[in-house]
Amino acid sequence: MLYVAILSTWSAKSQQFYISGIIIDSISQDPVGSASIIAKNDNSILAYTYTNNQGDYSLMVEMKNTLDSIILEVNSLGFKKQTQKLAFSTKNQLSLDFQLLPQVEELNTVVLKSDEKIKINRDTVSYKVAAFTNKTEQTVEDVLRNIPGIEIDENGNIKAQGKNIQKILIEGDDLADRNYKVISKNLDANVLDKVEVISNYDENPVLKQFLNSEAVVINLKLKDKSKSIWFGTFKAGAGNDKRYLADINLGLIRPEIKFLDLGNYNTTGNPAKGQLENYTFESLGFNDFDENYTFQAEPLLSLQGNSTLLDDKFYTENKSISNNLLANKSIWEKTKLRNSLLIYQDNLNKNYLDNTLYFLPDGNITYSELNQFDFKNTNLTYDLEVKHPINTDNFLTFQTKFSIAEELSGNRLLFNDQNSIAQTLGNKQYKLETNIHHTTKIKKGALTIYGFTGAQNNEFVLDISPNTLLTETQQANTTIKTAILDNTIYQGLKTSLIFKIGKFSYSLLAGITNTKSKIKYDATQTDGQQPTSTAVDSLSGINRLNEFETYAAFKGQYSLIPDKLLLESELQLQHINYQPRIDPQHFLFFNPQVKLRLIKIPVGSFSLGFSRKNEIPKLNHFNSNFVLQNYRSLRLGASTVKAITSNQYSFSYILSKKKERILIDAGIAYSEYNRNLVANSLLTQNLNSTRLVYAPGGSLFTARAGFTTYSDLAKISFKFGYNKTRFKNPFVLNSDFYSIENNSDNYYFRGTTYWKGFLNFRFSGGLNVSRGEIQGSTNTNTTYKGKLESILRLNDRIFGNLENEVHHINNTFYEASTLTLEYRPEKKGYIFGIQAQNLFNTKEYTFSTISDYTRSDLVFEAVPRYVIGYLKFRF
């Protein structure tokens, strides 16, 4: 035992003694994450903590005058225990590092080795990638799909152990923040050694000392050959029908710097825009003090067209180019600088026939559209973040984000086989956000101060030719143009006092937010006979808002049974001075939330929650002029401001048996509304004119249940489950009041085999039944889906992947298919491959959707069959 003697004069009173440092592997010099550090006096534990992914720890020990020394004990799975004795001086801070010696432990003839497939170490589950892959995977996303307990939805959102992840780290460092699809969809799978799922993750070292986080992240561990040297891949290919692809991965991974350049160009149905869209995150529970405020503006106008259950690549032609520069660097001591720059451009087009049916109690309305959509999307997003631990008791985070986006959507359509209409929508957006967090440790807790500011500017220009608001005899050579300018600026300040006393954690919060918005609408009509423009007063106007919000809240978490039964609550008092152009008002809201959680017991974790939520509609819901949304839709805003109150009830259950590789995830949620802002519609064959009004009632019910397991005997992972949604909403249609109900039931299964032979499979299937009802008038849509991916390993040099997908929708059958084959010469740094799509040259895909009282039957034009040959280099 090593003895460190520090000559001391000890105060007669108790005092706080701080110890911090780093723990590393003595052989590899890599940091040791999740190591425990325990301060003891004889058999009494005075304090304990754990290292983060960088091996750093910080420990506060409350010393009394009866003590003059302690024992510091360091433990980590796979390493020998190390202890150190400390005596105390007038200095109350000490920096102490440890180097742990690796150790292989034998327990009941089971040897824990560094190369085992699944390794569990407290909050971290580590998967050896080689045990769950078949060498056909191209990206990180492909690898994650193979790992039991990890799920990826159709938008690329990732769930691990039943929870949506917050980030993807690389060797413990954050490179992309919340935009983790930039990594999962682009980083080459070949560089991966292990995938770690980390629970109770918190980047803030001050809060991590005494609070448990709800966050789950994925940490990618790279192969040794991809560390400390430049590594990368380059892939290029060409095929028939003007098909091209080029892909580059360039990286440098060292302890002090991590750098990635991920570039892509393709005409093979892989748009770049999805990397920044449709993210789903879990609520972080009590420990959400590092969350950034962001202003979300609803798009005022949109021309996007319909979509299907199929991947976009089967029915959307594209020409996409993107480049992502990601970096994380230690700029001094433990200060981290994260920097990301994303640039992309998508050129997309899709063609389809839409037969629309309004199934109404007093008679149906039908029409058809033969659509051709063209899109051009360009985006530049820059994100800079600095995380600076001022000392062991102070942590500072600065983040600023800037983006420029421009979208141009063109829609040429044939209405009811006779009227040709052209719609063009241009949208430019500029957005700047800055957030600053400062966390400082105080006695028995912490103080956080958070300031933020931002600005957002949106410009929309919609052209429709001919002007469909005119009679058919007046429409010739006419155009109507709508221009909308939407500006918003906002600032805010929030402070929190956070304490933990025994079993009780609580926080006192207070804050202010100030928002100023202005929306200006201008509409002009061009006469085809005499090409002059005339303002349309009924489609023009200005809508302003000054909103000043003050709030105070109490958040608490009490351990009724330590680390087992938790009671969480948040009581928020909110005052809003809401001053739109019409009907300015003051609102005083009381928003309570209560949750009871039973966790970490042998039969699983349970959660029961209730919340009451008060909201005010957004500014664009109060336009006093009509807004032309497309060639057949006009909308007028509400004339008064009213609060929308909802009560939300939820129950969830998760059983995660990591060693047995079993995961059960189930839950139900129900929301009921005192009123809703709904459309009062006047619907005819050629026009849908709506005004927003308040109507009582409305509810949303969701339920889910899923069972995931892995059979070591059969070498297969399997999941089956059920999802249900029921939505009831009031509606005013042609002066009559209705209640609309939409139901959706989805039964599904999926699985992956891990056999050692030449053939493996990924498979999935499901049944979805959608039903809409309005006053006794109903419509139903039934869809069957099956997908089989055959993974071929013909020999040690040839690998392949054949994917077949079939759908059966309302007595209509269609299929989609892709093929990839690669030849990998022995001990060479290059690969030959071919990639093919739509092998059977399917001409069209059919699909149906039901929403409210509307049914759309869609026939999409398929992307023609093509084959690409490519060459990939690895260095």
Side-chain angles (χ1 to χ4, degrees):
M1 179 185 297
L2 177 63
Y3 179 83
V4 175
I6 303 176
L7 296 178
S8 62
T9 58
W10 179 244
S11 171
K13 298 180 180 179
S14 65
Q15 74 178 68
Q16 294 176 339
F17 193 84
Y18 298 92
I19 309 168
S20 62
I22 185 171
I23 297 177
I24 62 175
D25 184 329
S26 63
I27 304 299
S28 67
Q29 297 297 299
D30 290 334
V32 178
S34 299
S36 66
I37 301 93
I38 304 172
K40 292 182 175 182
N41 175 46
D42 296 329
N43 293 323
S44 299
I45 296 178
L46 304 176
Y48 68 93
T49 189
Y50 297 91
T51 57
N52 60 21
N53 290 321
Q54 291 75 45
D56 297 321
Y57 76 93
S58 179
L59 184 67
M60 186 274 287
V61 182
E62 190 84 26
M63 297 295 298
K64 298 182 179 179
N65 57 354
T66 56
L67 299 175
D68 59 2
S69 65
I70 62 170
I71 299 293
L72 210 62
E73 181 180 292
V74 180
N75 288 281
S76 183
L77 185 64
F79 294 92
K80 294 181 180 180
K81 178 175 70 176
Q82 195 171 135
T83 59
Q84 195 147 321
K85 185 176 181 181
L86 303 177
F88 298 99
S89 70
T90 53
K91 295 181 179 179
N92 64 349
Q93 291 190 359
L94 176 65
S95 178
L96 191 60
D97 300 334
F98 290 88
Q99 294 193 27
L100 301 185
L101 293 172
Q103 173 178 288
V104 176
E105 301 178 11
E106 187 171 333
L107 302 174
N108 298 326
T109 72
V110 177
V111 179
L112 301 179
K113 298 180 180 178
S114 60
D115 60 349
E116 60 184 339
K117 291 189 292 185
I118 301 178
K119 182 178 178 182
I120 302 170
N121 183 8
R122 207 173 63 86
D123 293 328
T124 302
V125 182
S126 179
Y127 299 89
K128 189 73 174 176
V129 167
F132 298 98
T133 55
N134 44 64
K135 296 187 178 181
T136 66
E137 294 79 11
Q138 301 289 324
T139 65
V140 168
E141 186 175 82
D142 296 334
V143 173
L144 297 180
R145 290 185 190 278
N146 292 339
I147 295 178
I150 295 181
E151 304 173 58
I152 302 176
D153 68 14
E154 64 276 5
N155 292 319
N157 289 301
I158 302 172
K159 268 189 173 183
Q161 300 173 8
K163 293 185 177 182
N164 289 293
I165 70 166
Q166 303 292 315
K167 299 180 179 184
I168 290 181
L169 312 178
I170 297 180
E171 293 290 336
D173 281 329
D174 177 18
L175 276 74
D177 195 38
R178 291 294 187 92
N179 298 326
Y180 61 74
K181 296 177 196 175
V182 169
I183 294 175
S184 61
K185 291 181 175 295
N186 291 286
L187 184 61
D188 192 285
N190 186 62
V191 302
L192 298 184
D193 180 40
K194 296 178 183 177
V195 170
E196 295 180 338
V197 177
I198 304 174
S199 305
N200 190 26
Y201 177 80
D202 198 326
E203 288 181 293
N204 190 322
V206 177
L207 296 178
K208 189 172 178 65
Q209 291 180 40
F210 62 96
L211 293 180
N212 290 322
S213 170
E214 298 293 320
V216 175
V217 301
I218 285 177
N219 182 40
L220 306 178
K221 305 288 285 186
L222 306 190
K223 296 176 180 176
D224 289 340
K225 67 179 182 180
S226 299
K227 298 178 184 178
S228 299
I229 59 171
W230 288 97
F231 69 91
T233 62
F234 177 72
K235 178 180 177 181
N240 67 303
D241 199 22
K242 297 181 180 180
R243 304 294 169 179
Y244 306 101
L245 63 87
D247 188 89
I248 185 169
N249 274 212
L250 180 64
L252 176 65
I253 305 297
R254 291 178 177 171
E256 73 280 4
I257 184 172
K258 294 174 176 63
F259 170 84
L260 287 177
D261 182 15
L262 307 172
N264 178 268
Y265 169 78
N266 78 93
T267 58
T268 60
N270 185 24
K273 185 178 179 181
Q275 299 174 19
L276 295 180
E277 291 187 326
N278 303 315
Y279 282 88
T280 302
F281 298 106
E282 296 288 337
S283 170
L284 294 181
F286 179 79
N287 191 14
D288 61 355
F289 302 100
D290 286 332
E291 285 298 282
N292 288 334
Y293 176 88
T294 184
F295 179 82
Q296 296 290 348
E298 295 180 1
L300 301 180
L301 296 175
S302 177
L303 289 178
Q304 294 298 325
N306 288 289
S307 58
T308 78
L309 289 174
L310 281 170
D311 288 343
D312 288 351
K313 65 183 181 180
F314 290 108
Y315 61 91
T316 302
E317 297 274 10
N318 82 300
K319 182 167 67 174
S320 301
I321 185 169
S322 66
N323 195 71
N324 306 281
L325 289 171
L326 308 172
N328 186 303
K329 188 178 188 315
S330 299
I331 51 179
W332 64 80
E333 296 183 352
K334 298 178 182 179
T335 300
K336 294 284 188 177
L337 170 68
R338 181 181 61 78
N339 191 67
S340 67
L341 175 64
L342 168 63
I343 303 174
Y344 73 76
Q345 184 178 91
D346 287 324
N347 288 273
L348 315 171
N349 62 75
K350 59 184 177 183
N351 305 317
Y352 64 90
L353 173 66
D354 179 1
N355 292 312
T356 299
L357 165 68
Y358 296 129
F359 50 96
L360 306 174
D362 56 353
N364 296 336
I365 295 176
T366 64
Y367 68 87
S368 69
E369 293 176 346
L370 184 60
N371 287 280
Q372 179 179 337
F373 275 92
D374 297 286
F375 309 92
K376 183 177 181 180
N377 305 319
T378 306
N379 184 284
L380 182 150
T381 299
Y382 179 73
D383 187 6
L384 173 68
E385 181 183 64
V386 178
K387 293 185 178 294
H388 175 51
I390 301 171
N391 52 42
T392 57
D393 295 341
N394 288 273
F395 187 68
L396 182 67
T397 301
F398 170 84
Q399 182 183 28
T400 187
K401 189 173 184 179
F402 174 68
S403 65
I404 302 174
E406 183 173 357
E407 298 186 359
L408 183 64
S409 304
N411 173 214
R412 292 181 294 278
L413 63 97
L414 191 63
F415 180 72
N416 284 342
D417 296 326
Q418 57 185 2
N419 296 328
S420 180
I421 301 170
Q423 302 182 110
T424 302
L425 175 63
N427 174 213
K428 294 181 181 179
Q429 182 188 87
Y430 307 89
K431 189 173 184 180
L432 174 65
E433 295 180 324
T434 299
N435 299 272
I436 301 176
H437 291 268
H438 179 223
T439 309
T440 184
K441 194 169 184 179
I442 59 177
K443 187 174 183 180
K444 299 186 182 302
L447 168 68
T448 69
I449 300 175
Y450 169 45
F452 57 89
T453 185
Q456 183 169 299
N457 176 279
N458 279 285
E459 301 174 14
F460 299 89
V461 178
L462 173 64
D463 287 311
I464 300 175
S465 179
N467 180 0
T468 52
L469 299 182
L470 302 176
T471 64
E472 289 190 17
T473 57
Q474 296 173 325
Q475 287 180 10
N477 299 319
T478 60
T479 300
I480 188 166
K481 174 182 290 187
T482 299
I484 303 178
L485 182 60
D486 179 8
N487 288 306
T488 299
I489 58 173
Y490 59 91
Q491 311 87 27
L493 181 67
K494 183 173 77 172
T495 184
S496 304
L497 285 167
I498 312 158
F499 299 98
K500 183 172 184 180
I501 303 175
K503 301 178 182 179
F504 189 33
S505 299
Y506 66 95
S507 175
L508 304 173
L509 299 86
I512 57 173
T513 302
N514 183 54
T515 305
K516 291 185 178 181
S517 297
K518 177 183 176 182
I519 304 177
K520 183 180 179 182
Y521 306 87
D522 287 308
T524 55
Q525 174 184 300
T526 301
D527 189 340
Q529 303 284 333
Q530 298 176 350
T532 58
S533 296
T534 304
V536 183
D537 293 338
S538 61
L539 300 178
S540 302
I542 296 177
N543 204 7
R544 291 187 176 93
L545 170 69
N546 291 331
E547 181 181 1
F548 187 76
E549 176 187 353
T550 59
Y551 56 90
F554 169 83
K555 293 174 62 175
Q557 184 183 76
Y558 183 74
S559 298
L560 300 171
I561 302 175
D563 297 325
K564 299 294 182 185
L565 185 60
L566 302 175
L567 177 63
E568 298 176 348
S569 65
E570 180 172 354
L571 308 175
Q572 184 183 75
L573 190 64
Q574 184 181 26
H575 175 262
I576 300 178
N577 181 5
Y578 198 78
Q579 296 183 345
R581 187 178 180 186
I582 58 169
D583 195 27
Q585 290 190 41
H586 292 261
F587 294 91
L588 184 64
F589 294 143
F590 177 65
N591 297 317
Q593 297 182 42
V594 181
K595 182 181 288 187
L596 185 65
R597 296 198 298 149
L598 183 61
I599 62 176
K600 298 180 182 179
I601 61 174
V603 294
S605 298
F606 301 82
S607 175
L608 183 64
F610 165 79
S611 66
R612 183 176 178 86
K613 190 175 184 180
N614 291 278
E615 295 181 290
I616 299 173
K618 295 183 181 297
L619 178 64
N620 61 296
H621 293 147
F622 299 111
N623 50 289
S624 55
N625 53 279
F626 278 99
V627 177
L628 184 62
Q629 297 183 297
N630 56 53
Y631 77 99
R632 56 172 293 115
S633 298
L634 284 167
R635 195 197 71 172
L636 184 65
S639 59
T640 60
V641 181
K642 295 183 180 181
I644 297 175
T645 303
S646 63
N647 294 321
Q648 301 173 352
Y649 310 86
S650 64
F651 170 80
S652 66
Y653 169 69
I654 294 179
L655 173 64
S656 180
K657 294 285 189 181
K658 301 181 181 72
K659 293 182 179 180
E660 292 82 3
R661 303 169 195 176
I662 291 175
L663 174 67
I664 300 175
D665 179 19
I668 57 174
Y670 177 73
S671 299
E672 57 180 2
Y673 299 84
N674 70 328
R675 66 168 64 94
N676 262 317
L677 192 61
V678 301
N680 181 356
S681 294
L682 178 63
L683 182 63
T684 66
Q685 175 71 41
N686 296 320
L687 186 66
N688 183 11
S689 178
T690 65
R691 174 161 193 166
L692 297 179
V693 297
Y694 295 95
S699 65
L700 174 65
F701 173 80
T702 61
R704 71 181 192 282
F707 175 79
T708 305
T709 187
Y710 173 83
S711 170
D712 197 45
L713 179 65
K715 297 294 188 294
I716 183 172
S717 65
F718 190 81
K719 178 173 184 175
F720 60 88
Y722 169 72
N723 293 314
K724 180 177 181 61
T725 301
R726 185 181 70 228
F727 178 58
K728 293 183 178 180
N729 196 35
F731 204 84
V732 183
L733 181 62
N734 294 339
S735 302
D736 292 324
F737 182 85
Y738 299 100
S739 179
I740 300 172
E741 180 173 327
N742 291 129
N743 283 277
S744 175
D745 296 274
N746 177 245
Y747 306 85
Y748 65 90
F749 67 89
R750 54 179 170 263
T752 303
T753 66
Y754 305 93
W755 303 331
K756 292 183 178 180
F758 71 95
L759 185 63
N760 272 284
F761 299 99
R762 273 197 293 259
F763 55 89
S764 64
L767 165 66
N768 182 270
V769 181
S770 300
R771 182 174 180 269
E773 178 178 352
I774 175 173
Q775 203 76 16
S777 181
T778 63
N779 214 291
T780 302
N781 178 49
T782 303
T783 301
Y784 299 91
K785 175 184 177 180
K787 186 175 182 179
L788 178 64
E789 188 176 349
S790 304
I791 302 158
L792 309 172
R793 185 172 181 173
L794 303 181
N795 54 47
D796 289 341
R797 306 272 72 83
I798 302 176
F799 300 83
N801 187 298
L802 175 62
E803 183 179 313
N804 296 95
E805 186 173 338
V806 296
H807 291 261
H808 188 265
I809 301 174
N810 300 323
N811 300 318
T812 301
F813 172 86
Y814 65 86
E815 64 80 34
S817 53
T818 58
L819 171 68
T820 302
L821 281 175
E822 287 190 346
Y823 172 68
R824 303 173 183 177
E826 186 176 3
K827 297 181 180 180
K828 302 293 183 181
Y830 54 86
I831 294 170
F832 299 100
I834 61 170
Q835 179 179 322
Q837 183 176 296
N838 194 4
L839 302 179
F840 301 99
N841 210 23
T842 300
K843 301 302 181 182
E844 60 186 32
Y845 303 114
T846 62
F847 189 57
S848 296
T849 61
I850 293 176
S851 176
D852 292 337
Y853 53 84
T854 306
R855 176 190 179 100
S856 291
D857 292 307
L858 309 166
V859 181
F860 282 83
E861 182 180 313
V863 172
R865 175 172 56 200
Y866 67 82
V867 178
I868 284 182
Y870 63 85
L871 182 63
K872 181 188 289 188
F873 296 91
R874 286 175 174 157
F875 54 90

